[in-house]
Amino acid sequence: MKSDTSNSQRGRFYPVTRSQPTQSTVSAPRTDGDDLRRTVLSPSTPGRSRSGHPTSGGTPITPRTRQGSKSSELKSSLDPLIKNEIERNLIEIEAEAFIRAFLYPSAQLGEPDTVMERDRGLGEACHEMLQEGISDDDVLMSMLTDDSCPKYSENGFTLLDVTKEEHLYTPFRKLFTFISAFYRLSLRKQSPPLDIDAAWPEAVDPKPQNPGDTTPSTELLRRDFFDTHNMVLKFSPRLVKETADLKPDLVLMLHRDKNPDEKQPSVYWKDVKVPIEIKTTFKSEGYIIAQVARYARAILMEQGDRKFAITVSLSATHCRLFHWDSVGCHVTEPIDIHTNPILFIRCIARLAMMTPSELGYDDHFSNAGRVLSDQELTTTLKVWGSPIREYLDREPGSETIPEQATSSLLELDTENLLFESRGMLFHRYTRVWRGKEITDIATWKAGPTRVVKQNWAEDTRPCEGYFYMLAKDIPAVCSLVLMEECDRTWTYHSRVAERDVIGYLRATEKNSRRGASVQPEGKRSNSGPNSSEAANAVERRSRTPLNVNSGPVQSLERVLLRFVFEEEYRSLYKASSSLELLEATVHWIEGLIALDKLGIVHRDISDSNLMLPVMDQKSDTLEGSSKVAKIIDLGLAHFKDPQSGDELSSGSLLAPSGLPSPDGPQSLWKGTSTSDARASRPHHHITGTLPFIALDLIQQHIDTPNTTSIEHAVHHDVESVFWVLMYFCLFQAQGSGSGLMTAALDGLTSPVVAFVVSAKETILHVGKVFTKFIGPFHELRDFLKAFAGYYRKCFEDSQSIDALKVLSLAIEHRDKLAQDGKENPAPTTVQQPPPMTPPGLTATVDSPKRKFSLLDDSLKTPEGMEEESEEEVATQRKKTKLP
């Protein structure tokens, strides 16, 4: 651990320097238009909104978690889910607003920008050269004399009036190459000269080969446009076992010495900076948008150091640019490339000139955006400690940054991620790495092994780090070293004024609803290639934003958080014996009770969030410093409702002073005495993984689907521990010949909620499964049977189970098993669940568990009952699982 007093590196928005509104308070006016952050949702922000409690989240009903498999990345699997997710999440804005907001993120809002004006002038000069077809530069002249490179005539660009898509690939690539070369050469001739490749030095290993050797590379990488229409781009092996069927027509690719005029043997998504999809027309634009959405997803999956992606769709007459982040997508209105060539040239040139940070790369990672697919380099991550706040929906500028910011430099194991979410497009993008802390860069001296987690958290949830801080004295909860607030989606979205918004782009329709084409910067010509098609394809409509909301709701924004934890733990599926699991059960329940005393409910107890202590590698015994089993992942934790009768004595449920109530300045949130209180607003508490959710929570929802009074309490989390153990035993007993156990497992893992409820009722109230309870962990039967008996008694007495009573049962059976010494060792290899497939998809493998989502044919999800644990599914069961 180190301290650094450099103000330039301290704070939570260091990775990307962006122009932001000058006022730090939430209600302060923007410098360039209306403040969109906490107003009634308009199409200026992505359409997803929260329902119910503002800190319980409002994730979409559709599942966004999927597991990698041989077919998971194929078009047939992805397109239906992609189209469903992007609906009401594509915000169409004016082209100039998009350019300023997303292509020039450092430009000051509401003020002239010298870089933009410089590039505008170069765009005019480039357009003039394409008209005249003459250049003093030999390189540019050779391109202009190439018959396959379009020129510009009075009717628009030549060579683009074609009927076949494949006839557009070469002309567009040649045109883009010329535009890029023109800007590159022109900037080199200016005073002072500027090399657009200077921000892209060749990546070097941050780990010195020799002590003290940290010399940076002097070689510069290039970005050029490549034709990839007949190539399937490749993923890293960690993502899919079989290459997905993704073939962008052109890509802006980072390379060392490739020739864009030659066919490439292979192209990897890791090297792609901007993918481009080309069609002859925009008549079926919904299909085109789904394609570029898949490209954006591929980039964000593959490039773990990237925070957003930019894609382009292109036809013979029009162009659109898309900016994709973890919340939604902003897209330009259609740009008529023939009547507005200068704007089109500026867009293409800017994409070829942007720096890594401007393209979304996070320079807290070493060599961010510059590691090629053929390189194997050490990856380091610098994490700066931020003040841990209770809530994240305030301006960071309103807080005092400590004079000394603690930081940690970690060498990450990027090839063996401990956890990686696999959502569609708009989700938390959770990743967990193992990392060695570097205490001396010069000698590369390694300190303790840490666990690093990052995700895009909803900005009005209680901060996950705040829960860890409150629980720092609970042995059974993982220990947090430091947390950093790195960036937030609002820094992008706040750069778009409401007056610049056209409306939602209806991407699921065959012919998308679109705004009028962009007015040209110069004189608009009346004709051009495919002019009649262009007039029909681009529907003209009012600039008034679509009225898509019926009431006041809050737009969804996210904060990029990084956590560094003290140590890693073993997966439940590495258990050595039944006795170890019973000992861990005691620790888990003790931890849940301790959290409850702090007023915290976990709400996501699952087999992935209950961990075992690390074993001593030499003696196969528990290490003394890590002998306590752990509860991890407080990302969905919540404060208990005060109106439940078990209020906290502290003021931890109160919002920071000065934050306006979302219901208006005069409103009081239900059950509180102050408009700043947060935890008691009615909302659903049903979260987690379906096989592990407490039975009565599911039953309450089915019986009263529209209620807002369902409360998730500590006894529900304790019951979830029982279901984790039950599922574990049933799964390990597969193939042992017990039909009762097989039937119970099939019921628990069914995607139909009614079947899951029936299976749970049979296990708890009938108990037949315990009559032939076999398998490698059959010694757990007595405890599980005792819990079921206690549950039945409480049910008959119309009472909830008592967490302390369940704890005493666990202690009793643990001590009895240890004393008897009758258990048999578990097999060396414990079975692990197969991959998960989302409900509604045809899977080649059975799904062992599903996140809570009522998506079967017979049950519909009511309003306010959205799936909350949106992507917490590991891509594979590793030896360890981390917070």
Side-chain angles (χ1 to χ4, degrees), residues 359-380:
L359 279 173
Y361 291 99
D362 186 344
D363 56 13
H364 278 194
F365 290 91
S366 59
N367 300 307
R370 296 182 286 110
V371 180
L372 299 176
S373 57
D374 61 356
Q375 291 180 294
E376 295 183 4
L377 302 178
T378 302
T379 300
T380 63

Side-chain angles (χ1 to χ4, degrees), residues 208-263:
Q209 300 301 314
N210 301 306
D213 181 11
T214 58
T215 304
S217 174
T218 58
E219 299 294 327
L220 299 181
L221 300 174
R222 289 183 58 92
R223 285 146 297 139
D224 286 300
F225 294 92
F226 288 80
D227 183 348
T228 56
H229 77 277
N230 60 351
M231 302 177 62
V232 176
L233 272 62
K234 296 182 179 181
F235 283 108
S236 297
R238 67 179 177 83
L239 290 176
V240 288
K241 298 177 181 179
E242 181 177 292
T243 304
D245 55 344
L246 290 173
K247 298 180 180 180
D249 298 318
L250 301 180
V251 296
L252 177 64
M253 187 172 70
L254 185 70
H255 67 98
R256 186 183 297 107
D257 51 9
K258 297 180 184 296
N259 185 350
D261 292 325
E262 297 178 358
K263 183 178 179 180

